[in-house]
Amino acid sequence: MIGEYSETSSKIVDRGMAQAPSHDDRPPDGVTSGPEVTDDLNPQQREVLRQDAERWQRMSNGSHLDDWLAYIPGLQIRRSLAMRHAHTNTPIGKLYADEFAALMRADGLHTMDKRAVTAVLWLGEEPARLQWLQKIRNAMTPGQRSRLNSPHSARCRIEQILNANAQQSKSTEEEAERLTPMEKLKTEIAEKDRKIGQLERAAKGGSLFDLRLDRADDIATGIVNAVSEHKAKQIAQGILAWFKEQKKQQRRPAG
């Protein structure tokens, strides 16, 4: 009985070991993928993903930023499909990450640097980011462009520009907001009064400007429109000569 039990037990154990999955066959990230993960895509989208797989093979010995940027459409397709499978509207969460990893593994892209993938997706989210990147690269020498191979480095450069522009816009807005509502209202009223005064004087045939209220450029325009070029120049020279004489008198010692 013991021998029979031992033989039977041995067969059961052998069968169990034969049916158990091999740990060596599991992917390093624990995500199992297969053709069914892309069943929801149309032929054109599948072709984009297939080209990604070929490009990654070509980049195995080195990479260029243009190659990385070419992944934008495919990565965006994978992100949208992963969110659909994970039933979420945002690309976050473990379920989404697992779905995205399965899609990457399906095309052999699971060995990509995750930080580079994140940077490529970030660059492709808004057209302005790629436009700024193109401007930067156009201003570079061929040697400088050849050294800008990392999507992460490109993202950092664009973020610096966008942050600087945002800070400048903020400063401009803050400067405009320094005026109180009352000060803004007074400025608007003064401008309207100035224009009304000009119209009234023109209607009465009087002076074309008011020396106390009008702006300097308005006064200058009124002069050149009312007198000859020669006389306008004499007026300008006379004003400058007057100020020059005043400075001389101020420099003269008293007594």
Side-chain angles (χ1 to χ4, degrees):
M1 290 292 294
I2 296 177
E4 184 179 351
Y5 177 80
S6 298
E7 182 179 358
T8 303
S9 301
S10 177
K11 290 180 179 179
I12 294 174
V13 172
D14 291 342
R15 264 199 316 273
M17 293 180 63
Q19 294 174 356
S22 172
H23 291 284
D24 295 337
D25 296 334
R26 295 179 183 175
D29 53 12
V31 178
T32 304
S33 63
E36 67 278 0
V37 297
T38 58
D39 286 347
D40 296 343
L41 302 180
N42 58 47
Q44 184 178 2
Q45 290 174 321
R46 292 188 184 188
E47 175 62 18
V48 172
L49 305 193
R50 186 192 65 78
Q51 292 176 5
D52 283 353
E54 291 184 354
R55 189 181 307 106
W56 184 235
Q57 290 296 323
R58 294 196 304 269
M59 291 171 62
S60 59
N61 294 327
S63 62
H64 191 275
L65 186 57
D66 286 330
D67 291 317
W68 279 110
L69 297 179
Y71 285 109
I72 290 176
L75 291 176
Q76 290 176 335
I77 291 173
R78 293 179 179 89
R79 180 171 60 183
S80 298
L81 186 57
M83 287 192 294
R84 191 189 315 166
H85 287 174
H87 305 288
T88 180
N89 295 324
T90 54
I92 57 176
K94 184 179 185 304
L95 185 56
Y96 161 79
D98 289 344
E99 293 290 346
F100 188 84
L103 289 167
M104 295 291 282
R105 175 169 290 281
D107 295 307
L109 307 183
H110 56 287
T111 56
M112 279 186 171
D113 178 61
K114 292 182 179 179
R115 189 172 67 167
V117 171
T118 300
V120 171
L121 282 168
W122 183 87
L123 289 169
E125 282 178 353
E126 296 182 11
R129 295 171 182 174
L130 290 176
Q131 291 171 4
W132 274 111
L133 179 59
Q134 187 61 41
K135 290 180 181 179
I136 292 175
R137 299 179 75 191
N138 289 341
M140 289 180 170
T141 64
Q144 290 173 330
R145 284 195 296 270
S146 67
R147 291 190 292 272
L148 186 62
N149 287 333
S150 166
H152 179 70
S153 298
R155 173 179 178 173
C156 291
R157 296 284 293 274
I158 303 306
E159 283 183 327
Q160 290 175 354
I161 294 176
L162 296 179
N163 290 337
N165 290 345
Q167 186 64 33
Q168 183 176 2
S169 299
K170 183 179 179 180
S171 299
T172 303
E173 293 176 358
E174 290 177 349
E175 184 176 353
E177 291 176 355
R178 288 174 186 171
L179 293 176
T180 65
M182 183 59 68
E183 289 173 334
K184 292 180 181 179
L185 182 60
K186 288 181 179 179
T187 302
E188 293 175 0
I189 293 175
E191 179 64 17
K192 289 181 179 179
D193 288 342
R194 184 186 65 80
K195 292 181 179 179
I196 292 173
Q198 285 181 332
L199 294 173
E200 289 178 345
R201 289 191 298 273
K204 294 178 181 179
S207 176
L208 299 178
F209 54 84
D210 189 319
L211 292 175
R212 293 171 299 175
L213 298 178
D214 288 348
R215 296 178 305 193
D217 55 345
D218 290 332
I219 295 173
T221 301
I223 292 174
V224 297
N225 288 334
V227 300
S228 66
E229 180 180 352
H230 176 68
K231 191 170 184 178
K233 288 181 178 179
Q234 285 183 322
I235 293 173
Q237 291 172 356
I239 293 174
L240 293 175
W242 185 88
F243 280 108
K244 186 176 181 180
E245 182 61 27
Q246 290 296 313
K247 289 183 179 179
K248 285 182 179 180
Q249 292 180 4
Q250 290 175 359
R251 289 196 293 266
R252 291 173 184 172

